């Protein structure tokens, strides 16, 4: 959840939602996102809502945090009433693995107690490689975590240094193997491409090292230079070159070829999985209009077309929870048209594609053009779905603009 927070309307103190939001709650999958806003150190490229011990200030601590999240889960149950059992929980950050496995397990128990968990619920924890070892991984598995997502980023030491990552090359792959030994069926590795100084050979070696660790899922993201980060300042001062669009496109194509050849197929532009079961169910819920409650500072939620976001600072969040007030800072109720546009935008990024019937007349003509220009698969288009080709994935933003204009 990086970037600026929209203005929105105020959230009622008890967190209650408009009746329109609750109406279809039972009809779609329901998940929980739990934000853990702590990091040991700040990576120079990252503008996520996360705090080092020095940045945190008074009024918030790692120790008191799990109890506050559990309070918010209770609030969620009061607001939502009879929601379906959770089909997924995703602990994201920040660095969730700065909390003890017992704390994460207590939060999972709270979700189970308030909402119930679907029998095959997916429970993911994002983990920084330097914060986990065999003992921690066994503790996470015993606490009910089913999926581990490791922030590998690169196998090249000089790339990790530019990114300010603190782990040693080789550590993420070791963690992935330990995770398998601890009984995790689903293990994912996150990679970043286009870091200043990274060569084609570095990138290829990173993808190959990730594959050799035997994950069933890999995410690969182009490095985004976020305003206000240390990385942006270094590029502005001329200390580092900015990522180059052509290089980013080549790196994406190289990754897609290597991953596909190793049996991991793309199912979203930046995500590849070995089997349908290995796809991240929680992220699919975001991309297909599901409902989720985001707990924690700065977390975003969506239920039935109402979106809201929490106060950003952990101390402000702690004050709200202590006062028994909703941590929601603002919200917006999407119009039917806004929901449709968002649906098109997200579904077009999926390998399953976007039903052409969702598009306006002009959008359907644009879909036809995309197929004619080699950006969408012609056979899928004839069957009523817009599915991006490899080249189309590189130009996804402009294809989507044409579909929704
Ligand atoms: C915000 S992190 C949270 C998990 C964990 N702390 C980590 O770093 O792996 C989730 C993913 O977002 C990626 N990320 C953060 N900022 C990014 C940026 N500016 N460009 C591309 N990826 C970014 C991280 O590298 C990581 O893989
Ligand atoms: S460890 Fe992850 S969340 Fe923390 S600063 Fe680095 S990229 Fe951001």
């Amino acid at each position: 959840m990086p970037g600026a927070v929209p203005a929105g309307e105020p959230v009622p103190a008890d967190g209650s939602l408009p009746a329109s939001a609750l109406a279809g709650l039972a009809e779609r999958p329901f998940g929980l996102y739990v934000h853990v806003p702590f990091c040991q150190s700040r990576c120079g490229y990252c503008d996520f809502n996360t705090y080092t011990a020095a940045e945190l200030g008074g009024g918030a601590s790692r120790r008191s945090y799990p109890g506050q999240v559990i309070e918010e889960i209770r609030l969620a149950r009061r607001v939502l009433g009879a929601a379906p059992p959770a089909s997924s929980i995703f602990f994201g950050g920040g660095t969730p693995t700065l909390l003890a496995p017992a704390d994460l397990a207590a939060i999972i128990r709270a979700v189970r107690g308030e909402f119930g968990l679907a029998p095959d619920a997916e429970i993911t924890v994002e983990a920084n490689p330097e914060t986990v070892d065999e003992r921690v991984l066994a503790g996470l598995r015993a606490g009910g975590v089913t999926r581990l997502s490791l922030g590998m980023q690169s196998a090249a030491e000089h790339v990790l240094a530019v990114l300010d990552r603190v782990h040693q090359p080789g550590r993420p792959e070791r963690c992935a193997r330990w995770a398998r030994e601890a009984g995790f069926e689903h293990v994912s590795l996150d990679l970043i491409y286009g870091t200043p100084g990274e060569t084609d050979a570095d990138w290829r070696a990173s993808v190959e090292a990730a594959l050799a660790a035997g994950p069933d899922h890999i995410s690969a993201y182009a490095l985004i230079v976020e305003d206000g980060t240390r990385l942006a300042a270094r590029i502005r001062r001329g200390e580092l070159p900015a990522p180059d669009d052509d290089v980013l496109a080549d790196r994406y194509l190289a990754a897609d070829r290597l991953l596909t050849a190793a049996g991991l197929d793309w199912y979203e532009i930046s995500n590849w999985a070995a089997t349908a079961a290995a796809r991240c169910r929680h992220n699919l819920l975001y991309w297909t209009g599901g409902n989720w409650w985001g707990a924690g500072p700065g977390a975003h939620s969506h239920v039935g077309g109402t979106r809201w976001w929490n106060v950003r600072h952990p101390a402000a969040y702690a004050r709200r929870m202590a006062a028994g007030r909703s941590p929601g800072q603002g919200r917006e109720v999407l119009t039917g048209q806004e929901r449709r546009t968002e649906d098109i935008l997200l579904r077009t990024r999926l390998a399953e594609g976007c039903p052409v019937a969702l598009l306006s007349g002009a959008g359907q003509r644009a879909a036809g053009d995309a197929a004619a220009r080699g950006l969408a698969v012609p056979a899928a288009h004839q069957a009523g779905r817009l599915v991006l080709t490899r080249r189309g994935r590189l130009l996804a933003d402009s294809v989507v603009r044409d579909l929704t204009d």
Side-chain angles (χ1 to χ4, degrees), residues 309-336:
W309 47 93
N310 285 352
V311 290
R312 272 176 78 83
H313 199 281
Y317 177 79
R319 282 196 298 277
R320 293 276 189 113
M321 297 324 299
R325 281 190 61 193
S326 159
Q329 183 178 47
R331 77 178 186 194
E332 58 192 8
V333 180
L334 301 179
T335 63

Side-chain angles (χ1 to χ4, degrees), residues 45 48 93-95 126 128 151 153 165 190 192 222-224 226:
Y45 62 96
F48 276 60
T95 307
E126 285 186 336
N128 286 38
Q153 319 310 350
R165 299 295 297 202
D190 274 5
I192 286 184
L223 177 68
I224 298 171
E226 303 283 3

Side-chain angles (χ1 to χ4, degrees), residues 37-369:
F38 311 114
C39 282
Q40 240 151 23
S41 58
R42 159 79 64 172
C43 306
Y45 62 96
C46 176
D47 80 341
F48 276 60
N49 188 37
T50 185
Y51 302 81
T52 62
E55 289 167 346
L56 200 54
S61 74
R62 273 191 229 165
R63 214 141 58 86
S64 54
Y65 187 63
Q68 292 156 12
V69 168
I70 289 170
E71 271 312 309
E72 188 177 353
I73 289 164
R74 294 192 182 124
L75 170 80
R77 175 74 170 94
R78 290 196 297 278
V79 168
L80 297 177
S87 56
S88 59
I89 307 176
F90 192 103
F91 290 91
T95 307
T97 42
L98 284 183
L99 297 184
D103 286 334
L104 297 173
I107 296 172
I108 295 168
R109 277 199 304 280
V111 174
R112 184 185 285 119
E114 296 298 332
F115 292 102
L117 285 174
D120 56 347
E122 172 194 272
I123 304 182
T124 302
V125 169
E126 285 186 336
N128 286 38
E130 70 280 6
T131 60
V132 292
D133 58 18
E134 290 149 292
R135 194 184 52 81
V136 168
L137 292 169
L140 291 172
R141 187 68 200 96
V145 179
T146 66
R147 184 171 180 274
L148 193 76
S149 173
L150 286 155
M152 172 172 172
Q153 319 310 350
S154 173
E157 194 159 10
H158 69 102
V159 172
L160 292 173
V162 171
L163 294 174
D164 298 320
R165 299 295 297 202
V166 295
H167 64 260
Q168 292 299 308
R171 175 87 189 178
E173 300 93 301
R174 262 203 309 286
C175 293
R177 293 190 189 100
W178 289 335
R180 292 289 200 197
E181 284 160 23
F184 282 93
E185 189 186 350
H186 300 303
V187 178
S188 179
L189 292 164
D190 274 5
L191 294 171
I192 286 184
Y193 55 92
T195 301
E198 180 190 64
T199 63
D200 287 343
D202 289 331
W203 176 237
R204 187 184 175 91
S206 295
V207 176
E208 285 172 347
L211 283 168
D216 65 353
H217 187 285
I218 287 184
S219 305
Y221 302 111
L223 177 68
I224 298 171
V225 181
E226 303 283 3
D227 286 345
T229 57
R230 241 180 4 252
L231 176 70
R234 293 180 72 189
I235 290 174
R236 210 175 37 249
R237 288 198 298 268
E239 276 172 45
L240 292 171
D244 175 277
D245 283 345
D246 290 339
V247 170
L248 291 175
D250 286 348
R251 299 264 154 90
Y252 180 83
L253 294 176
D256 189 50
R257 290 205 179 92
L258 289 166
L259 294 169
T260 306
L264 269 70
D265 292 325
W266 79 287
Y267 69 100
E268 194 270 349
I269 289 182
S270 304
N271 289 279
W272 290 259
T275 61
R279 296 174 183 167
C280 177
R281 227 167 329 137
H282 187 79
N283 283 337
L284 281 167
L285 175 147
Y286 292 158
W287 299 327
T288 54
N291 296 315
W292 74 91
W293 188 290
H300 286 228
S301 303
H302 166 263
V303 175
T306 296
R307 273 202 299 232
W308 70 98
W309 47 93
N310 285 352
V311 290
R312 272 176 78 83
H313 199 281
Y317 177 79
R319 282 196 298 277
R320 293 276 189 113
M321 297 324 299
R325 281 190 61 193
S326 159
Q329 183 178 47
R331 77 178 186 194
E332 58 192 8
V333 180
L334 301 179
T335 63
Q337 180 59 29
E338 284 167 337
R339 286 182 83 174
R340 208 168 59 88
T341 302
E342 182 135 315
D343 206 26
I344 294 168
L345 198 136
L346 294 169
R347 284 181 193 269
T348 302
R349 296 178 60 87
L350 297 176
E352 210 177 81
C354 177
V356 173
L358 276 183
L359 305 172
S360 65
Q364 295 193 8
R365 282 191 294 282
D369 280 353

